[in-house]
Amino acid sequence: MRPVILKFDHQVITNYIIPPHLMLQPFVDNYVLSTSHGERIVLNNTWPASNETSLIFYLADQPFHYVNVKTPSPLQPSRGCIVGLQSSCNGTVHFSGVYHTFIIQFKANGYNKLFNLPPLQFVNKLYYMDEVFGRAANVLNEKLQNAGGMLPMAQFADHFLLDFLTRHKKTAELHDGITFVANELFTSSSVHSVEDYACKANMSVRNFGRRFMEQVGVSPKFYCRLLRFNNAVNLKIKKPGCNWTSIAHECGYYDQMHMIRDFKQFADINPNKLFGSTDVYTNPSVDVNGSSNNLVNEKFRTVQRTDF
């Protein structure tokens, strides 16, 4: 497996990107094991807007969330939280300790499809995991903590999610136009117009917008802006030497000023300051385990699993 390596002022976090079970891939983007390999680190980073809803399991120490400098609070006491789509900058996150976190990242409407829960309830919200999933969340957290490696972690997450897929099979497996578009959004390198997506979903623009809002929680136009912003952030992480003009062009911005406007809205900071303050970069050439059967492509989006 070739992981994404993040360095924060010479502190290293490795993000291992693992695909979900094949039956879950219409709904789940990736599993991510983010770890400092037992080393203590200190981070203080901006929490920008995000187009993804995620389940986050803190398997070691926990971060603190600052909505502003006077209100520090643990992100959650139960070691697992649900982070909904974030439409704006959500303050900063401070972390000091051993970082070892397992994340389940959902596609645009994947959370709604798998759990049959209204997405608007989770937009810009954090929930304790056991408030929504009860004992099952605590059981999964314990299994993840005691797992002997990344593959067992992925398998435990698969079993947890496949149980919900079975329960909500009728709604989850209804392959409507929104699901089709949601999958294209997460496989394409660029973001198109709402009119294009409505056409691909075989819907009118008005009906597409209504159905998208029901399953995702925000309008398709706003979601596309969020996705394009996150694509720009991720591209800069993967290609630190790439200049902002090239990133703006590659991510489909009209020009660099339009991209800067989105950074100010979604991160409360301009691009150079966001990355200059954390010194984030990746090293795509590092291969930690050359004997692994898991392969990741140049965009770190697709990993092959051989256990299913």
Side-chain angles (χ1 to χ4, degrees):
M1 175 182 295
R2 186 185 300 164
V4 180
I5 309 293
L6 305 183
K7 290 190 178 181
F8 305 86
D9 298 328
H10 307 294
Q11 303 172 104
V12 178
I13 291 180
T14 307
N15 285 339
Y16 296 92
I17 301 172
I18 315 160
H21 190 279
L22 293 173
M23 292 179 64
L24 295 169
Q25 289 181 15
F27 319 106
V28 179
D29 184 25
N30 281 308
Y31 302 142
V32 180
L33 175 63
S34 186
T35 180
S36 62
H37 303 283
E39 298 294 325
R40 294 186 63 84
I41 61 172
V42 177
L43 305 174
N44 190 28
N45 293 332
T46 298
W47 184 351
S50 174
N51 61 286
E52 288 188 337
T53 297
S54 302
L55 304 186
I56 304 179
F57 298 86
Y58 296 106
L59 308 179
D61 296 316
Q62 297 168 267
F64 279 76
H65 174 215
Y66 291 73
V67 178
N68 59 58
V69 294
K70 296 181 180 179
T71 59
S73 61
L75 281 175
Q76 42 70 49
S78 62
R79 294 199 169 273
C81 63
I82 303 165
V83 179
L85 178 150
Q86 302 292 307
S87 66
S88 61
C89 183
N90 200 16
T92 61
V93 175
H94 175 76
F95 181 85
S96 179
V98 175
Y99 198 81
H100 197 59
T101 302
F102 187 84
I103 306 167
I104 301 174
Q105 300 174 324
F106 293 92
K107 294 184 177 178
N109 67 338
Y111 188 86
N112 169 254
K113 284 287 190 176
L114 270 181
F115 301 123
N116 198 25
L117 293 170
L120 273 173
Q121 179 182 341
F122 297 90
V123 171
N124 292 322
K125 300 287 180 60
L126 275 73
Y127 285 90
Y128 302 156
M129 194 89 68
D130 49 8
E131 287 181 334
V132 178
F133 299 116
R135 183 175 178 273
N138 295 329
V139 170
L140 176 57
N141 194 301
E142 184 176 348
K143 288 180 177 179
L144 292 171
Q145 287 183 317
N146 296 322
M150 286 174 283
L151 184 57
M153 284 184 170
Q155 292 171 333
F156 290 141
D158 285 342
H159 293 157
F160 175 78
L161 297 177
L162 286 169
D163 180 54
F164 284 95
L165 179 61
T166 300
R167 293 187 214 176
H168 305 133
K169 190 171 183 179
K170 288 185 178 180
T171 55
E173 292 189 350
L174 178 63
H175 295 298
D176 59 8
I178 305 300
T179 302
F180 176 82
V181 168
N183 278 279
E184 176 163 316
L185 285 167
F186 277 77
T187 55
S188 175
S189 60
S190 59
V191 180
H192 302 290
S193 69
V194 174
E195 290 77 13
D196 286 341
Y197 289 127
C199 181
K200 291 182 179 187
N202 197 26
M203 297 179 185
S204 68
V205 172
R206 183 177 180 180
N207 190 37
F208 175 75
R210 179 180 61 83
R211 295 282 298 279
F212 194 94
M213 176 72 79
E214 290 173 353
Q215 294 188 30
V216 180
V218 295
S219 72
K221 183 176 181 179
F222 186 82
Y223 185 87
C224 287
R225 283 189 62 202
L226 261 182
L227 179 61
R228 185 170 55 185
F229 161 75
N230 278 270
N231 285 346
V233 171
N234 291 330
L235 184 59
K236 183 63 174 178
I237 290 173
K238 294 172 185 176
K239 299 180 179 180
C242 192
N243 64 52
W244 286 112
T245 301
S246 298
I247 288 175
H249 176 75
E250 189 167 341
C251 292
Y253 282 100
Y254 179 75
D255 56 27
Q256 188 172 339
M257 289 306 299
H258 281 76
M259 182 186 69
I260 291 173
R261 180 197 64 183
D262 275 3
F263 268 78
K264 288 182 177 179
Q265 176 176 347
F266 295 137
D268 280 347
I269 197 169
N270 67 43
N272 285 328
K273 287 186 178 179
L274 177 64
F275 282 82
S277 63
T278 57
D279 189 27
V280 181
Y281 68 92
T282 61
N283 184 353
S285 65
V286 175
D287 192 341
V288 173
N289 185 1
S291 62
S292 172
N293 289 325
N294 296 333
L295 304 175
V296 61
N297 67 15
E298 292 180 356
K299 293 166 62 180
F300 302 99
R301 302 291 294 180
T302 306
V303 184
Q304 296 175 355
R305 276 176 59 181
T306 58
D307 61 312
F308 50 73

